[in-house]
Amino acid sequence: MKVTKKNSVVVVDDHSLFARSLANLINSFSNFEVLFQAKNGVEMQEKLQAHDVLPEIILLDINMPVMDGFETAEWLAQNHPEIKVLALSMEDEEQTILKMLRKGVNGYLLKDIHPELLNKALVELQEKGYYHSEKVAETLLHSLNPTEDEKNLEFKENELTFIKLACSEMTYKEIADVMDLSPKTIDGYRQDLFRRLNIKNRVGLVIFALKNNLTQL
Amino acid sequence: MKVTKKNSVVVVDDHSLFARSLANLINSFSNFEVLFQAKNGVEMQEKLQAHDVLPEIILLDINMPVMDGFETAEWLAQNHPEIKVLALSMEDEEQTILKMLRKGVNGYLLKDIHPELLNKALVELQEKGYYHSEKVAETLLHSLNPTEDEKNLEFKENELTFIKLACSEMTYKEIADVMDLSPKTIDGYRQDLFRRLNIKNRVGLVIFALKNNLTQL
DNA sequence: CGCGTAAAAAGGATTTTACCTAATTTTTAA
DNA sequence: TTAAAAATTAGGTAAAATCCTTTTTACGCG
């Protein structure tokens, strides 16, 4: 029997049933094994320190309590750039994917992937240094060629603050007070955003913000 | 070797990696086996018809395309009341849980359950006819003793329609036109809801609707 | 300094929301 | 059939939101 060192993988996901099943699946592969599991970024950090060896690959869920995938990916990129990170998520929201990619993850996998493809994904990630499922590839292409509606989707700090506050029950006057600006300035932000985002009223802005993860409920 | 007929289980979940892992886990149990899997309610209906035998238990995801868990549970309760349905979901939102329970499911399991508990859950479901994870039990207790804020959380058909339309860019006048009611009636709905839900403006209503899954983005 | 540019602010008008109370119609139940 | 309850509609008013245009301010730069 040929004995080859298996590549070690870490699974970070707060859904223990899923994480466990995933770990079992990976351990059934001849070329990969699970080093450990963690429920969130903090637990992962602790376990990474406690272990002598580092994993080659980290499978990282996005929606987690305590320290979510975005923060964890950022920390990994800064502290362990050699570890390949594969983001694992239910969501195929364009903004979410792009946000993770900007954090420096090496791949993005939707959780509805076929089990057979997981091995392929891990191998490709190891060999090529990246792997993206098809939907993600589409999203990337799409983001390179944004439609008219989706241009001007970058916001200045103040705009972003305004948008987030507009997603609350505050009146514009109250928002102006909090941001220490004139109500007329706030009205300027509002008007400009309505035009750029092609929306008709504040509800439209709230919907836009939620769809694009600019704020959360 | 003692040969006992295994109880058959069907897994309905659009996340194939999760569904597959779940199926593997169940097949590893000595007392349960997976009859088939389906990606949504429609596919489940088709496969149920195609099979001679019916499963004892159906594990049902809530968030699915085409035909979601709510619709599927409703259909199962009407057409196959003898099959025990175990709702399986990431969410522990009180409203979601209650909605599923009202559809007649026999149990509600959060996806972050420990693998060891799944077997226990299936056995209990089979023997007692129901199983609920701890968090759900808490939710049930909580719902029996609602706080002041959470009373009056049931909506009439018209109110629900209004709420959903209010979560769009339509003005109240436009909503009145669509619903074929006087703007004054719409204003009545609005006012009543603001008071009952203790919210200040339309954004508050949108947030409430989204938090309680009355509408979706 | 003066110029250009972008952010901030203002003026002023209209529409939409929001709030309160009361009247009318429809539905329900006795 | 009739009284009570629920749903719908009205009237009026104040506050907030929306829209358009113009002016002021802040700041870097040749």
Side-chain angles (χ1 to χ4, degrees):
Chain A
M1 177 183 170
K2 185 173 167 186
V3 177
T4 323
K5 184 185 166 298
K6 289 190 176 186
N7 295 301
S8 61
V9 179
V10 161
V11 176
V12 185
D13 194 324
D14 62 316
H15 303 96
S16 53
L17 177 55
F18 179 79
R20 178 69 158 268
S21 304
L22 191 62
N24 284 340
L25 182 63
I26 292 171
N27 280 330
S28 77
F29 297 157
S30 60
N31 42 354
F32 293 97
E33 65 182 357
V34 174
L35 190 59
F36 63 79
Q37 299 176 36
K39 288 193 194 313
N40 56 61
V42 172
E43 192 178 318
M44 181 204 70
Q45 288 176 326
E46 292 166 353
K47 291 194 175 177
L48 275 184
Q49 288 191 319
H51 279 256
D52 290 334
V53 291
L54 290 176
E56 270 82 28
I57 293 175
I58 292 183
L59 296 188
L60 184 60
D61 186 31
I62 294 182
N63 300 309
M64 295 180 294
V66 187
M67 182 174 175
D68 69 20
F70 298 115
E71 297 172 80
T72 309
E74 199 161 30
W75 183 85
L76 282 170
Q78 288 177 349
N79 298 83
H80 295 284
E82 72 282 6
I83 301 179
K84 294 180 182 59
V85 179
L86 188 60
L88 201 59
S89 156
M90 313 294 263
E91 316 184 35
D92 60 346
E93 265 296 326
E94 179 164 327
Q95 291 306 311
T96 306
I97 296 176
L98 289 175
K99 190 170 171 187
M100 277 308 270
L101 293 179
R102 278 196 290 268
K103 297 291 184 189
V105 302
N106 308 89
Y108 196 107
L109 209 62
L110 299 181
K111 279 191 179 175
D112 62 357
I113 186 181
H114 277 271
E116 292 76 12
L117 281 177
L118 180 63
N119 195 305
K120 183 190 166 205
L122 291 176
V123 170
E124 272 204 26
L125 184 64
Q126 189 73 327
E127 293 180 349
K128 295 188 184 173
Y130 63 90
Y131 176 87
H132 297 290
S133 52
E134 282 186 27
K135 276 192 183 177
V136 177
E138 284 172 23
T139 298
L140 286 175
L141 284 174
H142 188 230
S143 74
L144 291 175
N145 188 21
T147 62
E148 198 62 33
D149 290 345
E150 290 164 336
K151 288 178 183 170
N152 311 349
L153 236 59
E154 296 186 358
F155 305 102
K156 308 197 201 323
E157 199 58 34
N158 260 358
E159 276 182 326
L160 212 50
T161 306
F162 164 70
I163 292 174
K164 288 177 182 172
L165 293 174
C167 293
S168 75
E169 294 186 39
M170 294 169 82
T171 66
Y172 288 138
K173 178 168 184 336
E174 289 171 331
I175 293 175
D177 284 345
V178 168
M179 293 182 67
D180 198 27
L181 288 170
S182 157
K184 284 299 184 178
T185 304
I186 294 299
D187 188 55
Y189 290 172
R190 182 198 56 73
Q191 204 164 151
D192 193 44
L193 284 168
F194 279 22
R195 189 180 42 72
R196 279 162 58 197
L197 303 178
N198 192 33
I199 54 183
K200 291 181 168 56
N201 56 29
R202 193 167 160 181
V203 173
L205 185 60
V206 173
I207 293 171
F208 173 87
L210 288 168
K211 277 190 179 170
N212 292 85
N213 291 100
L214 301 182
T215 188
Q216 52 193 22
L217 290 181
Chain B
M1 179 183 171
K2 186 175 167 185
V3 178
T4 323
K5 185 183 167 296
K6 289 189 176 185
N7 295 302
S8 62
V9 178
V10 161
V11 176
V12 185
D13 194 325
D14 63 314
H15 302 96
S16 52
L17 177 54
F18 179 77
R20 177 69 160 268
S21 304
L22 191 61
N24 283 341
L25 182 62
I26 292 171
N27 280 331
S28 76
F29 296 157
S30 59
N31 42 352
F32 294 97
E33 65 182 357
V34 173
L35 189 60
F36 63 81
Q37 298 176 37
K39 290 193 194 310
N40 56 61
V42 173
E43 191 177 318
M44 180 204 69
Q45 288 175 325
E46 292 166 353
K47 291 193 176 179
L48 276 184
Q49 289 189 317
H51 280 256
D52 290 333
V53 291
L54 289 176
E56 271 82 30
I57 293 175
I58 292 183
L59 295 188
L60 183 60
D61 187 31
I62 295 183
N63 300 310
M64 295 180 293
V66 187
M67 182 174 176
D68 67 21
F70 299 116
E71 298 173 80
T72 309
E74 199 162 30
W75 183 86
L76 283 170
Q78 289 176 350
N79 299 83
H80 295 284
E82 72 283 3
I83 302 180
K84 294 180 182 59
V85 178
L86 188 60
L88 202 58
S89 156
M90 312 294 263
E91 315 184 35
D92 60 347
E93 264 297 324
E94 179 164 327
Q95 290 307 310
T96 306
I97 296 176
L98 289 176
K99 192 170 170 186
M100 277 308 268
L101 293 180
R102 278 195 290 267
K103 297 291 184 191
V105 302
N106 307 88
Y108 196 106
L109 209 62
L110 299 181
K111 281 192 179 174
D112 62 355
I113 187 182
H114 276 271
E116 291 76 11
L117 282 178
L118 181 62
N119 196 306
K120 183 189 167 205
L122 291 176
V123 170
E124 273 203 28
L125 183 64
Q126 189 72 329
E127 293 179 350
K128 295 188 185 173
Y130 63 89
Y131 176 89
H132 297 290
S133 53
E134 282 186 27
K135 276 192 183 177
V136 177
E138 284 173 22
T139 297
L140 285 175
L141 285 174
H142 188 227
S143 74
L144 290 176
N145 188 20
T147 63
E148 200 60 35
D149 290 345
E150 290 163 338
K151 286 179 186 170
N152 311 352
L153 236 59
E154 296 187 357
F155 305 103
K156 311 200 198 324
E157 199 58 35
N158 261 357
E159 275 182 328
L160 212 51
T161 307
F162 163 70
I163 292 174
K164 287 177 182 172
L165 292 174
C167 293
S168 76
E169 295 185 38
M170 295 168 83
T171 66
Y172 290 138
K173 179 170 184 332
E174 290 171 329
I175 293 175
D177 285 344
V178 168
M179 293 183 67
D180 198 27
L181 288 169
S182 156
K184 285 298 182 178
T185 307
I186 295 300
D187 189 55
Y189 291 170
R190 183 199 56 73
Q191 203 165 152
D192 193 43
L193 284 168
F194 279 25
R195 190 181 41 72
R196 280 162 59 200
L197 304 177
N198 192 32
I199 54 182
K200 292 181 169 56
N201 57 28
R202 192 166 162 182
V203 172
L205 185 60
V206 172
I207 293 171
F208 173 86
L210 288 167
K211 277 189 180 171
N212 293 84
N213 293 97
L214 302 182
T215 188
Q216 49 193 23
L217 289 182

